[in-house]
Amino acid sequence: MARSSSTRPTSRDVAQAAGVSQAAVSLVLGDKWRGRVSETTAERVREAARALGYRPNLAARNLRLGSTRTVLLVVPALTTEFFAGVYTGAARVAATHGFGVVLYPSPEGVGPAHPSPTTALKGRPLRAAPIPDPFASAEAALDGVIASSMAADALTAIRGDQLPLVMLDSDPHGSLGAATVNLDIADGVRQVAEHLLALGHRHVLHLAADIPSWTFRARARELADRLAAVPGTRLRTATAPITIDDARAATETALTAPGPRPTAVVCDDDKLAAGAYKALRRLGLRVPDDISVTGLDDLALATAIDPELTTVRLDAELFGERGMEALLAVLDGRAPAGGDIPVQLVVRGSTGPARDA
Amino acid sequence: MARSSSTRPTSRDVAQAAGVSQAAVSLVLGDKWRGRVSETTAERVREAARALGYRPNLAARNLRLGSTRTVLLVVPALTTEFFAGVYTGAARVAATHGFGVVLYPSPEGVGPAHPSPTTALKGRPLRAAPIPDPFASAEAALDGVIASSMAADALTAIRGDQLPLVMLDSDPHGSLGAATVNLDIADGVRQVAEHLLALGHRHVLHLAADIPSWTFRARARELADRLAAVPGTRLRTATAPITIDDARAATETALTAPGPRPTAVVCDDDKLAAGAYKALRRLGLRVPDDISVTGLDDLALATAIDPELTTVRLDAELFGERGMEALLAVLDGRAPAGGDIPVQLVVRGSTGPARDA
DNA sequence: TTGTATGCGTTATCAA
DNA sequence: TTGATAACGCATACAA
């Protein structure tokens, strides 16, 4: 009946080695012994556990506790470094509460019914690729979910809202009562608009992300509102999936259309801006002398391109932290703290005075 | 004794609803009833399960089975889209075998003892950030680990090799018997070298990643070997952390050093190449007329910069697939398939004939 | 073909 | 202070 040496030591093994009951082991190792176990036996237990290299079996603990202290962070599959930051922030907060964070890059699923033929065409042939949605048995394996809006629709469509849910960058009103944590992107767009208006720009092209997500609709609305507030402004919109090449093509088309040319291109994110750069170069337009460009995100990409991109910095880590804090609040029955996360315009070399101003 | 309506249905609830034993439910839902349960009862069970919205409790199953059918994929924290591809491939293969993949972005930990003051300085202040290593109780929660070499050292240092382990892009000989899956990066570097040599380049600067990882040492060695094979070649080396700004600074320093200027810059990866571009622009050098540049990875970044970067395409998804397949083999007691994954030079606009050739 | 019984490793309740 | 003992929900060996 001796413990096979090839198998993981259990708390019973520790108990046996320490000469105490198995319950005592659980108490000591769970740090719940303040006055229920003598200091000497506690130490003996710890010693035995250390000697045996004991580590608790999570499956058993989860089963017993009915909770896993694990949350899922759903991010778009085609992820950028931005979500690495979000993860870092969320995981850090989680850790201080004894929680873990599991990352789920939502496959393709960007918004409901958004086939995006360009995405389907490029790259290797699609193999039958049923990466299983993690919600199949998630309720047993997870305590909650934090989901980026770029995947949130797909998420609610499938399942997932059965669990305590926090949505990132999602419509505060349309989220079915789920808590939301948002960057103040509208304010970022406002800063961009004011910056360009101050430089004399009156005719701008909005290069919008072709993703039916609240966050992008909000950007479009804010930009339109800000420009509309100033007499004599004109706004044109082009739409493209968030890839450099799609953005290039869309920009090229938009700028070769008849009529006066915009003096600034406002992009929904940095990647789109990189595509816009390429289009402008092909058209023989110089940035910022002939035309200004702005992005949004402040990825590494923003300083990789030339000239460096004027963009809006998003604090990804803070975003992740706030997301996790909100989820902890929900799990706790408390109301999550409100208030959007501030963002900041970073002026670099891609914006300058309007050509005709 | 009726099931509280607020609690998750268990297999017993399903059994009760279907009027069968709990064991029958388990058999049917586990698809192990081929001749042990009648078709009619099986259908009744399925119906009841569907009606109740039953989903098995993973913790209980894991406890019973002693395995979780979950593996961990360890990637560098400062991750790029490359690892999104690796994940996709690994998850796809895993799915066909009933496995799940959990992502672990290894915090900072790039190689052993590599403080990288620049990393520590930039960005927000470091908060006490104990993102727990997932190996604390991993043996119970995971069946195996796939680790990128960029985190593998940190990994073995901590724990992790107690579990079946596959290393990605790691020294096949120094990996303590762990299985390795490698891209044929040496061949990629060879292709780069041949390409440049054919263009007449004889003096090259190697912009190397400042990461003490096997994969980067291998790149340096291969490049040196290929150049040494041709008489009259010269190789200089500069080193930088993989950030655009560090790469820019290192390149600038290297190229303003006294002596003849290299006619080509070979970079350990695309991000470094983006930094090199910036340095060259500051120095008033045109790419590729004055100097050629090559990268390695073929990230989106490679086509974002101007001119588009000649680089080596890595098939991230295939990499992930092969990694997962290797791990499945190890779990199965089989020998993982050998053979490096082919890579391919993609010639774009950043390379041209040597200035003085 | 079906149902009964047992144990996976924990934590927590209760008597000693 | 301590040590039995009972679940948690599932899969399976075994008995009916």
Side-chain angles (χ1 to χ4, degrees), chain B residues 109-112 148-158 167 170 212-214 217:
Chain B
V110 186
S148 156
S149 71
M150 303 193 54
D153 310 312
L155 186 152
T156 52
I158 310 285
M167 301 246 224
S170 185
S213 169
W214 173 81
R217 286 192 296 272

Side-chain angles (χ1 to χ4, degrees), chain B residues 200-214:
Chain B
H201 294 274
R202 291 297 178 269
H203 188 181
V204 338
L205 171 65
H206 178 203
L207 182 52
D210 183 20
I211 296 183
S213 169
W214 173 81

Side-chain angles (χ1 to χ4, degrees), chain A residues 11 22 26 54 57 64:
Chain A
S11 62
Q22 186 260 9
S26 192
Y54 168 77
N57 180 314
R64 178 64 234 251

Side-chain angles (χ1 to χ4, degrees), chain B residues 193-285:
Chain B
E194 303 298 351
H195 173 62
L196 291 175
L197 287 169
L199 287 169
H201 294 274
R202 291 297 178 269
H203 188 181
V204 338
L205 171 65
H206 178 203
L207 182 52
D210 183 20
I211 296 183
S213 169
W214 173 81
T215 184
F216 294 113
R217 286 192 296 272
R219 294 170 201 203
R221 189 179 343 107
E222 181 71 17
L223 181 60
D225 288 354
R226 288 296 156 181
L227 292 183
V230 175
T233 56
R234 299 181 47 184
L235 175 61
R236 205 186 293 176
T237 298
T239 280
I242 303 188
T243 74
I244 288 173
D245 208 56
D246 289 311
R248 179 200 51 70
T251 307
E252 225 168 315
T253 304
L255 289 185
T256 50
R261 202 175 55 221
T263 61
V265 183
V266 173
C267 304
D268 264 358
D269 92 337
D270 290 356
K271 217 167 181 179
L272 292 171
Y277 270 45
K278 304 195 72 164
L280 299 175
R281 205 170 278 122
R282 287 202 190 186
L283 296 172
L285 298 172

